[in-house]
Amino acid sequence: MDREKMEERMTREVTEGVGPNRVKCGVLKIAMNGTNLSSGEEKAFRAAARVSRELGVSICVHTAGWLLSTTEELPGPLIGLDVLLSEGADPSRIQMGHLEGTRGNLDYLTGIARRGCYMAFDLVGRNREEMDPLRVAMVTGLVGAGYGDRVLLSMDHQGAWVPEPPPSYVNMGASFLDLYNFVPLLLKGGLKDAQMERILVDNPRELLAF
């Protein structure tokens, strides 16, 4: 599809619904799978930005966060985000996902935060021993820098796989328990109950409602 056809389809699926039951979509999901945008990905990003600008629906961006460098050599999500903003998308309607891949690079994260979008640490439950200390450091660092109103947490959990779950997902247990197990680590790291309420309740509500 060209960009105009993508826009038409996204608009229709939000305003009229999808499939025989006409279920209306509540978010636009787009993806980039490298450290730069392919031509097809850029087309989808520009279409989503225009539909979001028109309808107010939020955009959820999959990034290849695990490929990020801790230097500025691989800008990754910043490229995608800046394309969305160049098309007039409201940054408060954008969630950049999989940002654990920055591996504690707070300068990079604050560069994203300064643009005004939401930042999702959404692989909670995966690679706990290696990643949980870094997740805590990234979230508490952003809150300390004044960006607690832009942080989101999630588990990136899927209920079915073909043919089987990847090794990193095995023995994850119930996905919500992963989040419940992680929240006490953030409290031990210095976050207060009110800050957790902001991250777990207020931020997703403000992002998703339209």
Side-chain angles (χ1 to χ4, degrees):
M1 290 184 283
D2 60 23
R3 195 204 69 235
E4 289 78 9
K5 289 293 185 183
M6 285 187 176
E7 289 180 42
E8 291 174 8
R9 178 173 178 172
M10 291 176 182
T11 298
R12 183 173 63 253
E13 293 186 347
V14 172
T15 60
E16 300 177 19
V18 180
N21 294 324
R22 313 308 292 172
V23 176
K24 293 181 179 180
C25 296
V27 65
L28 303 175
K29 177 68 178 286
I30 54 177
M32 56 186 299
N33 276 318
T35 55
N36 207 331
L37 287 174
S38 69
S39 60
E41 289 167 347
E42 182 175 347
K43 185 167 52 177
F45 271 59
R46 294 190 183 280
R50 293 178 180 217
V51 174
S52 176
R53 185 184 66 199
E54 180 69 23
L55 301 180
V57 61
S58 60
I59 302 171
C60 175
V61 183
H62 162 95
T63 70
W66 52 88
L67 296 178
L68 288 175
S69 170
T70 55
T71 72
E72 296 181 357
E73 295 171 359
L74 302 175
L78 280 173
I79 291 177
L81 177 57
D82 285 345
V83 167
L84 294 172
L85 298 178
S86 74
E87 290 287 350
D90 179 350
S92 71
R93 311 306 298 156
I94 299 170
Q95 169 196 311
M96 302 302 293
H98 300 331
L99 294 183
E100 281 101 332
T102 58
R103 294 185 175 274
N105 189 334
L106 195 59
D107 287 341
Y108 189 94
L109 290 170
T110 54
I112 295 174
R114 282 193 295 269
R115 286 160 168 80
C117 71
Y118 286 91
M119 299 168 291
F121 299 90
D122 48 14
L123 300 173
V124 174
R126 238 202 276 191
N127 303 322
R128 292 187 184 96
E129 291 186 5
E130 175 192 2
M131 290 303 300
D132 277 354
L134 278 175
R135 288 188 183 103
V136 170
M138 288 186 282
V139 172
T140 57
L142 285 167
V143 172
Y147 297 113
D149 62 346
R150 288 289 170 247
V151 174
L152 298 167
L153 298 176
S154 188
M155 290 75 64
D156 196 41
H157 184 80
Q158 299 188 34
W161 295 89
V162 178
E164 61 185 22
S168 61
Y169 277 84
V170 174
N171 298 322
M172 279 182 61
S175 58
F176 283 113
L177 287 179
D178 295 316
L179 190 55
Y180 290 151
N181 290 334
F182 182 63
V183 167
L185 299 180
L186 292 174
L187 294 172
K188 290 179 182 177
L191 295 195
K192 307 301 183 186
D193 288 342
Q195 292 168 323
M196 290 307 314
E197 181 84 2
R198 161 53 79 177
I199 291 171
L200 296 176
V201 179
D202 298 337
N203 290 351
R205 178 177 58 209
E206 291 173 7
L207 169 68
L208 296 173
F210 74 104

